[in-house]
Amino acid sequence: MRSSSQFGQGERGEEAGSSHPLGSTLGGGGANFSLFSRSATRVELLFFDRADDAQFSRSIELDPRVHRTYHYWHVFVPGVNAGQLYGYRVHGPSDPERGMRFDPTKVLLDPYGRGVVVPPKFSRQAAAQPGDNSATAMKSVVVDPGAYDWEGDVPLHRPASRTIIYEMHVRGFTRHPSSGVVEAKRGTYAGLIEKIPYLQDLGITAAELLPVFQFDAQDCPPGRVNYWGYAPISFFAPHQAFSSRQDALGPLDEFRDLVKALHRAGIEVILDVVFNHTAEGDEDGPTLCFRGLENEAYYILEPDRSHYANYSGTGNTLNTNHPVVRRMIVDSLRYWVQEMHVDGFRFDLASIFTRDASGDVLPNAPVLWDIESDPVLAGTKLIAEAWDAAGLYQVGSFVGDSWKEWNGRFRDDARDFFRGAEGALKRFADRLIGSPEIYGHEEREPEQSINFVTCHDGFTLNDLVSYNDKHNEANGEENRDGANDNRSWNCGVEGPSDDPAVETLRNRQVKNFLTVTLFSLGVPMILMGDEVRRTQGGNNNAYCQDNETSWFDWTCLQKHADVHRFVKLLTARRLLRDTAHERQRVSLNRLIREANKAWHGVRLNQPDWSDHSHSVAFTVEIRQEKLLLHLILNAYWEPLDFELPPLDKGEGDSWRRWIDTALETPNDIVPWEKAPAVQELTYRAEARSVVALHAPAR
């Protein structure tokens, strides 16, 4: 086999180029382009002047005798600068029965393209139908990643034990007119920058951004828009529509401005990444990139090869353990860490990473170990949604030594406990102390569990306590979409209520959920707007609602100021947690085993673990602070009097009430150091309330 250096020049000055690196790379007075396609018979590199050009400005045909090394097509083109738009036409067999779907009439994105432009009349339909789609196709952008001044910025590497994740949507955070952001910047990276002081004041330490890889907003039912962004079409380019700058290079720089600004505020950036499927959908979907390059390499196909395996629930499944796809995933992650300075990743439907080309589950999936063992990614936060849409559920059994997991059982058991479900107490008590029942066998750190009650997928916290049933009619699927198992309770009235008693109970339940999320061992995560009781009107699947259903309504900040204040005081205390166990790599099991702790019922040291029990109390010594903490959880529908542990009193020592969610603000939570003394030997916990007391340890 000849090396690329042995090849000559083309007719107009282009040279053979190099197979490495993949994508477009500036240098030497031009740009090198490299693309993988094993089965292509002919490749054309097309240059465009504008995103909506119906005709390319230049076409370079890659001669396989000159521009191909093994399965890589490559060319060096002099005179190319950053900002150049380009795409590919790839010729090859159109034989779905053999898994091949080449279509040379379609303009294809570069899988490694660092930028993407979307024409005003982009058409997903045109990419799915026969014929030339040049004018309506997305195009890739030549980018110089080094042409940015980071001003000394580096990823923060905040300890997991002092991490509080805020799951948020870039557009939804500032798109509402009440955000106060000027219209041109609403819903953009720049708009989010303006609201960073709010995030600082709230006390969160990590912004987990719903997908910001370029996605196809038309991948949704007719007349709607894919708002969440779980429809990726480029794993390297930031989403263009989230940028207030619509020039070809603007989204790249504006995203990096956001990362730099968040880091200056002490806030990490975690990206929700979707490597389990693409926006190309099933066999009736559009040809945008991967299927037109090497369909059977990029996707898991059914045995008949003409249909796509659908473990993602979206029409196709990325073949993540194919060597080329594995390399692309790792290269993407390295790029976002090295060039974009992100601090971590949350992997959507990560269990798909464990499937092979036939869809069978691998005990040690190569792609997972590729990610975990990569030195560039060492210290990067890796979070798995450890399940997929085909029933594979791996919470507590996900492969790897450093992966943290969304603990879906924390969500379910917390919901069950506070709605008064039978048999929930014992399960929830385990979740409160880091879920050793789930994770103890791995002898991992307490922060392996990502604890959450709500996330983008499902009810908001306000809706969890306001609706018994989902109300997704606006999605256009006759309320069939979205989960039916919500484990919610509407506190007696379905939807909004003017009844003060109902509203008081809902407020209390919201505070109960927030308290246990931020108290529990593990890494807490709260959903954007839960701190001000943001509502989606009972819609538990608002993926296609780019409107006030999904946007952060900033008027709620005043309406629910008491909940906002409650969260701020919770996060302030959470950030004081000691990090010694993390530095010393103390396991969850050891931490629990060596802790000075006790479980109680209404009587000391007599917890009731029966299925009919709805209350428990817990005392633990925080040794490094010489502090005792006593937590009372009463999910029963009547008040209960709990005995308090006696104290080895010094002068003036007593239990002090920090939290009582049954009290009106500002007594529901007080500044830690100003907590009032409790003189009685018992404490009455009102119905459906959480109480937290503290005292000095002697």
Side-chain angles (χ1 to χ4, degrees):
M1 182 184 297
R2 294 178 299 175
S3 69
S4 60
S5 62
Q6 293 173 297
F7 293 133
Q9 292 189 342
E11 294 180 0
R12 291 181 290 179
E14 62 268 11
E15 302 170 9
S18 171
S19 59
H20 178 77
L22 285 162
S24 59
T25 308
L26 288 169
N32 188 79
F33 296 82
S34 178
L35 180 79
F36 167 82
S37 182
R38 179 187 182 201
S39 305
T41 57
R42 178 182 164 203
V43 174
E44 297 173 80
L45 172 62
L46 311 176
F47 289 160
F48 296 87
D49 294 331
R50 291 174 297 275
D52 57 355
D53 278 352
Q55 181 64 36
F56 52 80
S57 59
R58 182 180 179 186
S59 172
I60 301 172
E61 183 166 345
L62 276 58
D63 183 345
R65 297 169 301 174
V66 177
H67 300 110
R68 182 171 183 171
T69 303
Y70 190 46
H71 301 321
Y72 296 93
W73 301 75
H74 46 78
V75 63
F76 179 85
V77 184
V80 172
N81 297 311
Q84 174 65 59
L85 310 187
Y86 70 101
Y88 288 97
R89 280 186 178 151
V90 180
H91 301 249
S94 178
D95 189 354
E97 299 299 322
R98 293 171 53 210
M100 296 187 181
R101 293 181 177 271
F102 290 97
D103 184 350
T105 69
K106 299 295 179 287
V107 173
L108 305 180
L109 289 170
D110 180 352
Y112 275 70
R114 268 60 170 178
V116 171
V117 293
V118 183
K121 294 184 179 180
F122 164 72
S123 174
R124 178 177 175 86
Q125 186 177 20
Q129 296 175 340
D132 184 355
N133 73 330
S134 296
T136 61
M138 298 184 193
K139 281 90 175 175
S140 295
V141 183
V142 175
V143 165
D144 179 4
Y148 183 80
D149 185 0
W150 277 106
E151 302 179 276
D153 176 83
V154 292
L156 298 180
H157 296 301
R158 180 182 287 273
S161 50
R162 288 191 179 175
T163 294
I164 303 171
I165 298 172
Y166 189 75
E167 191 201 33
M168 63 188 304
H169 190 284
V170 169
R171 178 170 169 81
F173 193 54
T174 63
R175 181 61 186 85
H176 198 281
S178 64
S179 68
V181 175
V182 296
E183 188 169 0
K185 291 185 178 181
R186 289 180 198 157
T188 68
Y189 306 122
L192 201 162
I193 290 172
E194 292 189 19
K195 289 294 187 179
I196 288 176
Y198 172 84
L199 299 176
Q200 276 185 296
D201 182 62
L202 186 62
I204 63 96
T205 70
E208 182 173 304
L209 306 180
L210 265 66
V212 298
F213 290 0
Q214 181 63 49
F215 60 86
D216 181 1
Q218 294 180 11
D219 186 7
C220 58
R224 290 167 177 81
V225 63
N226 191 312
Y227 168 74
W228 282 353
Y230 292 91
I233 199 56
S234 172
F235 299 116
F236 292 83
H239 190 60
Q240 183 193 35
F242 290 167
S243 176
S244 64
R245 289 178 51 187
Q246 287 299 294
D247 58 289
L249 299 174
L252 180 71
D253 285 345
E254 193 169 312
F255 177 82
R256 292 190 285 191
D257 289 344
L258 171 61
V259 173
K260 185 164 59 175
L262 283 166
H263 283 174
R264 284 174 173 169
I267 298 172
E268 291 187 305
V269 179
I270 298 173
L271 300 187
D272 191 337
V273 292
V274 186
F275 290 112
N276 58 76
H277 74 279
T278 78
E280 291 187 307
D282 61 17
E283 52 274 10
D284 297 320
T287 298
L288 303 169
C289 180
F290 308 99
R291 85 163 73 213
L293 293 172
E294 194 67 42
N295 186 59
E296 61 179 353
Y298 283 106
Y299 294 112
I300 298 178
L301 304 179
E302 296 286 7
D304 68 2
R305 315 304 288 167
S306 66
H307 291 83
Y308 293 85
N310 187 18
Y311 300 108
S312 66
T314 60
N316 65 48
T317 307
L318 210 61
N319 189 9
T320 57
N321 283 291
H322 186 284
V324 168
V325 183
R326 282 166 52 192
R327 181 182 301 112
M328 179 182 68
I329 291 171
V330 173
D331 285 348
S332 169
L333 298 174
R334 289 166 63 104
Y335 175 76
W336 287 94
V337 170
Q338 291 180 305
E339 301 294 347
M340 309 296 266
H341 287 206
V342 304
D343 304 271
F345 305 93
R346 177 266 185 189
F347 294 80
D348 180 64
L349 298 182
S351 289
I352 283 176
F353 278 1
T354 67
R355 294 188 183 272
D356 65 13
S358 300
D360 296 327
V361 179
L362 298 164
N364 283 289
V367 68
L368 291 177
W369 291 109
D370 284 352
I371 294 169
E372 175 149 325
S373 63
D374 191 281
V376 171
L377 303 179
T380 300
K381 290 180 170 63
L382 303 175
I383 301 170
E385 183 184 36
W387 54 82
D388 69 15
L392 182 58
Y393 192 79
Q394 297 176 315
V395 173
S397 61
F398 196 74
V399 175
D401 295 330
S402 66
W403 292 80
K404 296 175 176 22
E405 298 174 17
W406 265 25
N407 189 347
R409 290 176 62 183
F410 181 99
R411 172 199 60 207
D412 295 344
D413 294 334
R415 291 182 178 197
D416 276 347
F417 176 71
F418 282 114
R419 72 187 176 113
E422 295 285 290
L425 172 59
K426 194 170 183 178
R427 296 195 308 273
F428 179 61
D430 188 80
R431 308 299 161 260
L432 198 67
I433 57 172
S435 298
E437 175 191 56
I438 300 173
Y439 297 113
H441 68 284
E442 296 187 354
E443 290 295 338
R444 288 273 306 278
E445 71 281 2
E447 290 75 27
Q448 184 178 0
S449 174
I450 305 294
N451 299 329
F452 67 103
V453 174
T454 56
C455 65
H456 70 278
D457 191 1
F459 281 143
T460 65
L461 192 50
N462 175 82
D463 292 357
L464 182 67
V465 302
S466 303
Y467 295 90
N468 284 348
D469 303 300
K470 65 183 181 182
H471 296 268
N472 298 357
E473 291 80 6
N475 296 351
E477 300 181 47
E478 299 180 347
N479 209 35
R480 292 189 301 268
D481 63 306
N484 294 315
D485 181 19
N486 293 293
R487 308 189 186 209
S488 60
W489 179 51
N490 65 15
C491 296
V493 177
E494 188 74 355
S497 174
D498 294 329
D499 186 333
V502 171
E503 181 61 18
T504 296
L505 179 55
R506 288 176 177 174
N507 225 38
R508 185 183 305 176
Q509 288 282 70
V510 164
K511 293 172 183 176
N512 291 341
F513 282 119
L514 289 166
T515 301
V516 297
T517 300
L518 284 156
F519 248 101
S520 302
L521 280 178
V523 177
M525 183 184 82
I526 58 178
L527 173 64
M528 178 186 86
D530 276 355
E531 73 277 11
V532 294
R533 290 185 55 182
R534 183 179 72 86
T535 180
Q536 292 180 172
N539 192 324
N540 76 348
N541 189 36
Y543 77 101
C544 59
Q545 299 296 324
D546 186 9
N547 50 49
E548 293 192 14
T549 297
S550 300
W551 301 340
F552 190 117
D553 182 350
W554 290 85
T555 66
C556 292
L557 184 55
Q558 181 176 2
K559 183 179 179 181
H560 296 293
D562 64 316
V563 179
H564 181 256
R565 171 185 173 274
F566 192 89
V567 173
K568 286 173 56 177
L569 287 172
L570 278 175
T571 57
R573 179 59 202 172
R574 173 82 192 200
L575 293 177
L576 298 178
R577 286 207 172 183
D578 185 63
T579 61
H581 71 277
E582 190 172 354
R583 296 193 305 271
Q584 298 165 10
R585 304 182 68 83
V586 176
S587 70
L588 173 63
N589 286 346
R590 178 182 164 191
L591 197 68
I592 293 173
R593 187 170 58 248
E594 296 179 357
N596 180 13
K597 63 186 185 303
W599 292 100
H600 316 285
V602 292
R603 295 195 174 185
L604 291 175
N605 303 303
Q606 297 181 38
D608 179 0
W609 299 117
S610 71
D611 286 349
H612 302 296
S613 178
H614 301 282
S615 65
V616 72
F618 180 67
T619 309
V620 63
E621 180 183 0
I622 304 174
R623 291 194 178 104
Q624 65 274 13
E625 296 187 51
K626 297 182 178 179
L627 183 74
L628 293 174
L629 184 65
H630 187 69
L631 187 65
I632 300 172
L633 302 165
N634 182 21
Y636 193 51
W637 40 89
E638 294 180 5
L640 296 174
D641 293 321
F642 288 79
E643 294 178 352
L644 297 181
L647 297 173
D648 295 330
K649 289 190 175 183
E651 186 176 349
D653 285 351
S654 63
W655 287 107
R656 294 186 174 274
R657 189 200 73 235
W658 177 39
I659 294 173
D660 186 337
T661 61
L663 298 177
E664 294 294 321
T665 189
N667 296 315
D668 52 348
I669 183 171
V670 299
W672 181 269
E673 64 281 359
K674 296 182 180 179
V678 175
Q679 303 297 345
E680 296 78 11
L681 300 178
T682 62
Y683 192 96
R684 169 157 289 200
E686 296 297 328
R688 306 185 191 277
S689 69
V690 173
V691 175
L693 312 175
H694 65 80
R698 299 292 180 183

